[in-house]
Structure formats: structure tokens, C-alpha cells
Amino acid sequence: MKNSIRWIFPFMVLFLMTGAMPREEAIVADEQLRVITNGGDKVMTFKSLKKIMRGEKQRWSDGKKVTIALLKTNTGVGELTAKKVYGMSPGQLNKYWLGLVFQGRAEAPHFFISEELLILYVNSTPGAIGIISTDPDSSDNLATVDGKKVF
Amino acid sequence: MRITLKAKIWLTVSSITLLFAGFLFFYFPAKQQKTLQESFEKEVYVTAKTVALGVSIALTEQNFKGVKTSMEYIKSDPRFVFAALVQTDTLKIQNEIEVSQDVFAVEPFGYEYDPKTTSVEGIMIKRYPFYSPTMNGDIVVGFSEDSIHEKLADVKMKGLSIASGVFLFGILVGFILDRHISKPLHHLQRVATLVGKGNREIQLTLKRKDEIGDLADSFNKMTRELKEADLVIADQTESLIDTKNVLEEQHSLMHSSIIYAQKIQKAILPNHGDIKGPFSDLEVFFEPRDIVSGDFYYVAEKDGKHIIAAVDCTGHGVPGGFMSMIGYSLLNQVIFDRGMTDAADILTQLDVELKTGLHHDREDVSIQDGMDMSLVVYGPSKKEIQFAGANNPILIMSDGELKKFKGTKRGIAGSSYKDAPFLAETISVKEGDNIFMFSDGFQDQFGGPNERKYMVKRMRDLFVKISSETCSRQKELISKEFEEWRGYGDQTDDILIITAKV
């Protein structure tokens, strides 16, 4: 009996650890991100995407003002976006934008709690760009990054 | 120190004006500066608080609108100098907690701000903390204080302008008050002086409907009444002058009468040369207080007896003079008509005659006047004298001893000791003995260093002192002593002293 418990214990620990981990985290790890724009460039490189998203490039090629829309970093997609696009933790992202806004060097992104709201905002805001994980109903606003629809 | 009304008006006006101007120029700007400073401090503090709140929301809610709006607002303020976002980190190094502060962001970009700085000359710096799970720290904002200084300078300038205006207004008020109060009063003073000097025709011509106008009216009324009073006084003065003239005339007549009465009295009184009689020496010191005297001396020769008396009638002046005349007549009547030469008999009969003459038994006309007297009968023996006194003693200086003989304690026609008989004493004398007879005038004279009566004791000492002198010299010494004692005082009563040497 004692031998059987010694054999089962590591599996129980592993099981419990797996169960305690956030379910979304597990999902996010596999999420793919998509870029949607409203009237902006539909083809871009990841480098130019980063420039736009970091507020370094504030105008589209046609001169329209870039308006950034992001999911809040307390969402899985928001956190993934911070990591993939900004290379920052959620806190670092906040501090990054705080610095820019405080100094008036850039317009802060609009943060949303759901992708639906984000998509609605982008669709209704000319020059807006947003990052989502789900495939939008209309592919008209979907941009390619380094030739890919998802990254 | 006399302060004129004009000076008082100007002092009052200038004091109030300067006080008010000082308030406007010093107190008001100081109060304004404090208010401005407090208000500015509060404004900067609230600004820092607003930005800090925006930062807190931005870091927790990911909503940067508050930061953006507040920063745009403060940057649009012309007083804005800088805004710094200071990050506070708490580190635990080897069990010690270390707090570090670093500037995370500053606006305008490149502005050098040291997180430890709390004050900079000319800049109002305020900070407000913010807290979030991501970051803690402070929002520090700096606003230029130039605007306060400009506002304060503006307030001071306005204060100076208003103070100057108040000062000029004060001078104007002072000038008006001077013109309306001080000048009319000066005019009134000049006119009052003229009225005081007797000008009753002058009138004030101040046509004003205020207190000064009332004063002028009252003054004019007073001048008119003074003029009327002057006329009344002039009439009364004239009447008084008439009365005075009548009185002076009457006084002159009375004085003439009294002078004539004096002549009569002097004529009646015996000459000094006639009174010596058997005495080896005799002098009379006789000083009436008024023109005629109530005191008198009497000398008579009857049946070889020399009768001498010193008489003090009650009263002095004219009444005393009358009494002395009566006394003198009655003495003559008693001695010569009735032939009495005994001292006691003379006094007794004199008492009866005087009471009868003055009607002492009738209440309706009775007067209680009488006379005190000492009476000495000398001769024919030269070895003795007979003395009787009515309230008057005599003193005899014999062998260096001054002896007193009191007489009867009762006056002639007096009311005291009514039934006491007048008794005579026979006193042995020898050559050189000095007899002093006197009224109470000298001893009752006020004077000396303490303005007191001369008194009997002092008079006795004087008699002892002068007894070795001749009667003539004694009279001189008595007169000198009297004048020295009286000094500048008035004579109290008639004075009579007879000194005689056996």
C-alpha cells in the first residue's frame, strides 16, 4: 500500500498544479493575433506594426491619424499583445504609455474589455488600428503583417 | 500748549486720512498678498492632485484620458513651469529598507528636476502622491510666482492710487471744514473782542442754516441785549452816583458832627496840667479808638480832696461818647451838687443816678449800658489814698512790688452782682509809690507775633518795668509798647491808662 502511494503522489501533484493554473493562460499560449485597421495600411511589416503600436508612427501613409485600440492587459489577449507586440509586461506597458501621455508625445491607446467592443470601435473610427485574436466577420479590415493574416 | 481749532481740524482730518491711506497702502496689499499666496498654493496643490488622480486611474484602469486632459490643462496655463512624475521604489537591501525616488517623466521634456527639490526661487512647487499596483510615486508641479508678484504690484499700485485719492480727498475735506468752521469762528472771535471792548453796534453777518448760523444769531441777540443792559446799567449807575453823593454829604455832616462832639469831649476833659493835684507826677495815656471815646478820665478837687477816676463806658464811638458825657456830668453832680467825697459813696450814688437816668426800671426804653471805673481820693493826708472800684482794679508799685486792689466786682449801672455794695479801701502810700489806673482797652488789644490779646500779665510786667521812669517817660514807653504790639492791626477798643506818683 505504501509503495502504491509513493508512485501515485507525483501524478497527484502534477494534476493539482495543472488544475490550479489559469485556464485562459493555457488558451492564450495558443492564441494567434490579428491586426484590423479602418482605412489604414493593410499591409505592413511587424517592425512597422511595432512602430505604429508604440506610438512612434502616428500617421498612416495617407496622412490619417493613427488611433490605437487594445484589449486591456487583464485579458489574455491584451496580455499576449503586450508581450508579442510591445515586448513588455502589462505593468511595463502601462508605464510606457503613461510616460508618453504625461509628456504629450503620443495619444494613448483605447483599451477595451472585449474584442467585440474593440472591433466595433475600430470599424467606426477612421484611422483606427486594433489587435484581436478572433477572426473578424469581415476580412476587409484585416491587415497582413509580414504577409500573414495572423502572427 | 494752546492748540487752535484750525490745528485740531487739520490734525483730525490728516490723522483719519493718513490712517485710511496707510490701511490702503500697507494693510490691504499685505492682506491681498497673503490671500493671493494661499490661493495660488491651493491652486497648484489641486493641480498636482488632479494629475495624480489621473495617473492613478491610468495605471489601474488603463484609462489615460484623465492624465491627458489634466496635462493639457496645466500646460496651457501661462504660469506652468514643469510637471514631474516621480517614481518611488522601496527596496529591501540586506534587511534594510531603502526608498529611492527617480524622475520617471518630466514635462517639458529635458527639464532638469531633482526629486529632492522642494522649493525653487520664483517657482511654487507642490506634490501629491499616487498609488497603483504598478507604480507608486508623486506628481510634482511647478508654477511660476511671477504672476503673483505682478498681481501684487498691481494691487500696490491700485492701493497707492486710492490712498493718494483719499489723501487728496482728506485735504479737500480739511479745507472745507476749515472754511466752514474755523474761519467763521475766527470771525466770531474778532467780533466778540470788539463787543468786549464796548462796541455794541457790531453784528455778525453769517447767513448759515447750521449750528454756526445759530451761534451767530445768538451772538447778535446777546449783543443787542448787552446794549439794552448797558442802558439799564447806565441808568442805575447814575442813580447810584446820586445816592453816593447823598451818602457822602450825609457822612460829611455826620463826620462834622462827630468831630464837633470830639471837640466837646476834649473841652470837658481836664487839661493834663490841671490834673496833677497833690501827686508829684501824673500822666494820662488816652487813645480813643474812634473820633470820640467811651473811656474818659475825671479829675476834681473838693474839700481839699483830689478825686481822680479812670472810667470805661460800655461801647465806644458815638454811643460810648454819649455815655462818657453822661458819666462825666453825673460825677460832677454827685461830687459837687451832693458834696460826696467818699469813694464808695461816689460810686454808689453814681450807680443810682445812672440807673435812674437810663431808666433801668423801664423795660420799653431800658438799655443795659453802664460803666466800669476805678476811683481814687487823695488828700488831705498824703500818707493814704481811698480807692473804690467798679469792675476795675488799680495797681500800686511800692518798694519794688506791684500790688493789685481789685475793687468791687460790679459795674456802675451794670447787671452783675446787683446787690453787692461798692466798698472803698484805704491804702497807705508813701512818696515814690506809683499808682496805675486803667481801662481794659490795652490788655484786650490784639497783636504781637500770634495776633493775640496783650493780657493783664504782660501789662503788669510792663508797669513793673517802667515804674522807675517819670510818668512822662512811662507814657512814651506805654505808647511805644502799644504801637509795637498792635503793629498794622486795628485798635480794638478805647485805651486809657493813668499813671500817678505819690
Side-chain angles (χ1 to χ4, degrees):
Chain A
M1 184 64 183
K2 279 184 179 177
N3 286 336
S4 60
I5 289 170
R6 196 180 295 161
W7 186 78
I8 291 167
F9 185 72
F11 288 97
M12 284 177 72
V13 171
L14 188 64
F15 172 75
L16 286 170
M17 282 179 71
T18 310
M21 280 177 77
R23 195 176 176 82
E24 198 179 355
E25 191 71 21
I27 294 165
V28 166
D30 299 329
E31 289 275 15
Q32 296 289 311
L33 298 177
R34 294 175 175 80
V35 176
I36 54 170
T37 66
N38 180 354
D41 299 344
K42 294 288 191 266
V43 179
M44 60 185 82
T45 63
F46 188 70
K47 193 178 176 182
S48 65
L49 174 67
K50 280 179 77 174
K51 274 192 171 183
I52 289 166
M53 296 309 285
R54 290 169 71 99
E56 293 168 3
K57 187 183 175 185
Q58 297 179 5
R59 297 279 171 186
W60 294 110
S61 305
D62 58 4
K64 275 185 188 164
K65 188 184 166 192
V66 174
T67 303
I68 303 166
L70 293 173
L71 281 166
K72 289 198 172 185
T73 51
N74 58 3
T75 64
V77 177
E79 189 178 351
L80 182 64
T81 305
K83 271 185 184 175
K84 273 193 172 178
V85 178
Y86 289 92
M88 299 174 185
S89 68
Q92 284 172 326
L93 179 68
N94 283 343
K95 286 167 75 174
Y96 174 78
W97 279 112
L98 177 64
L100 289 180
V101 174
F102 189 83
Q103 293 176 324
R105 287 160 61 191
E107 194 84 22
H110 294 267
F111 287 89
F112 296 93
I113 56 168
S114 69
E115 290 195 17
E116 288 77 17
L117 289 172
L118 190 149
I119 292 165
L120 270 174
Y121 177 75
V122 170
N123 290 339
S124 62
T125 308
I129 178 172
I131 293 179
I132 54 174
S133 62
T134 53
D135 201 7
D137 296 340
S138 169
S139 60
D140 293 348
N141 289 343
L142 208 59
T144 58
V145 179
D146 288 340
K148 298 174 186 172
K149 295 281 186 185
V150 293
F151 62 95
Chain B
M1 189 177 70
R2 184 173 182 267
I3 301 174
T4 62
L5 181 66
K6 187 174 185 174
K8 282 177 185 171
I9 288 171
W10 278 108
L11 267 174
T12 307
V13 170
S14 56
S15 300
I16 294 169
T17 306
L18 285 173
L19 199 69
F20 196 53
F23 173 79
L24 286 171
F25 190 62
F26 294 106
Y27 179 77
F28 186 62
K31 197 80 182 168
Q32 279 290 96
Q33 183 183 15
K34 193 181 172 190
T35 307
L36 279 172
Q37 190 80 18
E38 286 174 355
S39 170
F40 187 54
E41 276 186 26
K42 194 174 178 181
E43 190 182 352
V44 177
Y45 179 77
V46 168
T47 303
K49 187 178 177 181
T50 306
V51 176
L53 190 64
V55 169
S56 291
I57 292 168
L59 290 174
T60 52
E61 302 293 329
Q62 288 190 304
N63 183 345
F64 292 85
K65 281 182 184 172
V67 180
K68 183 192 170 194
T69 308
S70 59
M71 285 305 292
E72 281 176 356
Y73 176 73
I74 64 169
K75 280 195 285 185
S76 67
D77 194 314
R79 299 168 296 175
F80 173 75
V81 177
F82 76 93
L85 199 160
V86 177
Q87 181 177 353
T88 303
D89 290 314
T90 306
L91 304 170
K92 192 174 182 183
I93 302 169
Q94 293 177 345
N95 293 329
E96 283 189 15
I97 294 170
E98 192 173 293
V99 177
S100 70
Q101 285 196 319
D102 299 300
V103 175
F104 178 78
V106 67
E107 177 64 20
F109 186 72
Y111 184 87
E112 289 186 0
Y113 172 69
D114 182 354
K116 292 172 185 171
T117 303
T118 53
S119 66
V120 175
E121 179 71 27
I123 300 172
M124 171 73 71
I125 296 173
K126 289 287 169 190
R127 62 167 59 205
Y128 197 87
F130 65 88
Y131 305 97
S132 75
T134 313
M135 179 184 183
N136 295 326
D138 293 297
I139 294 298
V140 185
V141 294
F143 275 58
S144 171
E145 290 179 337
D146 290 347
S147 61
I148 292 184
H149 295 143
E150 283 168 12
K151 280 183 182 174
L152 192 64
D154 186 45
V155 167
K156 276 189 175 177
M157 199 62 201
K158 281 177 183 169
L160 180 64
S161 305
I162 297 169
S164 303
V166 166
F167 187 71
L168 290 172
F169 180 71
I171 289 173
L172 183 68
V173 169
F175 181 75
I176 292 167
L177 285 175
D178 178 37
R179 193 175 175 78
H180 280 75
I181 297 174
S182 177
K183 284 194 173 177
L185 287 178
H186 274 297
H187 180 54
L188 176 62
Q189 186 188 23
R190 283 195 295 275
V191 172
T193 306
L194 291 173
V195 171
K197 286 178 178 175
N199 187 342
R200 303 287 192 262
E201 301 301 327
I202 197 162
Q203 290 280 295
L204 275 171
T205 52
L206 294 172
K207 298 293 179 192
R208 291 172 55 159
K209 291 179 180 177
D210 57 8
E211 286 85 348
I212 290 176
D214 294 344
L215 184 63
D217 291 343
S218 299
F219 184 83
N220 288 335
K221 189 183 172 195
M222 182 195 77
T223 309
R224 286 194 296 276
E225 286 174 354
L226 275 175
K227 190 179 174 183
E228 290 167 9
D230 281 351
L231 293 172
V232 173
I233 288 168
D235 286 347
Q236 289 176 345
T237 305
E238 198 176 336
S239 172
L240 281 172
I241 288 168
D242 290 344
T243 307
K244 179 177 168 275
N245 290 336
V246 170
L247 286 172
E248 278 180 352
E249 196 177 337
Q250 289 175 348
H251 178 261
S252 177
L253 283 170
M254 281 178 67
H255 188 72
S256 300
S257 301
I258 292 169
I259 291 292
Y260 200 78
Q262 183 193 33
K263 282 180 183 175
I264 294 167
Q265 192 174 42
K266 277 183 178 175
I268 289 169
L269 291 175
N271 289 326
H272 289 187
D274 302 334
I275 61 174
K276 189 175 165 188
F279 289 105
S280 63
D281 196 3
L282 190 145
E283 277 295 338
V284 178
F285 178 70
F286 182 50
E287 282 292 328
R289 200 196 82 159
D290 302 313
I291 299 169
V292 288
S293 174
D295 288 5
F296 71 95
Y297 53 93
Y298 178 84
V299 178
E301 284 280 341
K302 176 71 178 170
D303 301 335
K305 293 180 180 175
H306 194 75
I307 302 165
I308 184 163
V311 188
D312 179 3
C313 299
T314 53
H316 45 74
V318 174
F322 271 109
M323 282 299 294
S324 71
M325 297 297 285
I326 294 167
Y328 199 90
S329 300
L330 288 177
L331 273 169
N332 277 337
Q333 192 179 320
V334 168
I335 292 167
F336 292 107
D337 296 348
R338 294 185 181 275
M340 290 181 175
T341 56
D342 181 79
D345 291 346
I346 293 168
L347 294 193
T348 303
Q349 188 58 39
L350 191 62
D351 183 52
V352 172
E353 296 288 343
L354 193 59
K355 282 178 179 171
T356 306
L358 295 178
H359 298 286
H360 275 204
D361 55 334
R362 282 176 56 190
E363 288 186 0
D364 56 339
V365 295
S366 172
I367 55 171
Q368 295 304 313
D369 289 303
M371 56 185 72
D372 297 336
M373 64 187 293
S374 49
L375 186 140
V376 170
V377 180
Y378 184 38
S381 169
K382 290 193 175 181
K383 291 183 179 175
E384 58 185 25
I385 62 166
Q386 191 187 34
F387 162 69
N391 253 351
N392 248 18
I394 61 167
L395 296 171
I396 299 175
M397 184 70 185
S398 177
D399 295 329
E401 187 185 356
L402 190 68
K403 296 174 182 169
K404 182 178 181 182
F405 300 92
K406 293 182 180 175
T408 304
K409 207 162 183 61
R410 170 189 167 194
I412 303 295
S415 57
S416 61
Y417 297 94
K418 279 183 178 175
D419 299 327
F422 290 106
L423 299 173
E425 289 182 75
T426 301
I427 304 163
S428 297
V429 291
K430 62 180 185 296
E431 189 179 348
D433 284 356
N434 200 159
I435 302 166
F436 295 98
M437 303 168 73
F438 46 87
S439 67
D440 59 0
F442 194 4
Q443 68 198 42
D444 288 345
Q445 177 61 46
F446 283 95
N450 298 318
E451 203 56 36
R452 301 180 70 171
K453 280 187 176 179
Y454 192 76
M455 306 299 286
V456 177
K457 185 182 181 304
R458 199 175 276 110
M459 197 169 71
R460 287 169 60 102
D461 293 343
L462 176 66
F463 290 161
V464 171
K465 190 177 164 186
I466 65 174
S467 61
S468 59
E469 304 289 344
T470 63
C471 291
S472 172
R473 178 64 183 155
Q474 284 180 7
K475 183 182 174 184
E476 287 175 13
L477 292 171
I478 289 168
S479 174
K480 188 182 173 199
E481 176 72 5
F482 173 70
E483 293 300 332
E484 283 178 0
W485 182 258
R486 185 181 68 166
Y488 293 104
D490 293 331
Q491 187 173 330
T492 311
D493 199 358
D494 301 321
I495 295 172
L496 171 65
I497 298 174
I498 300 169
T499 172
K501 288 205 172 184
V502 177

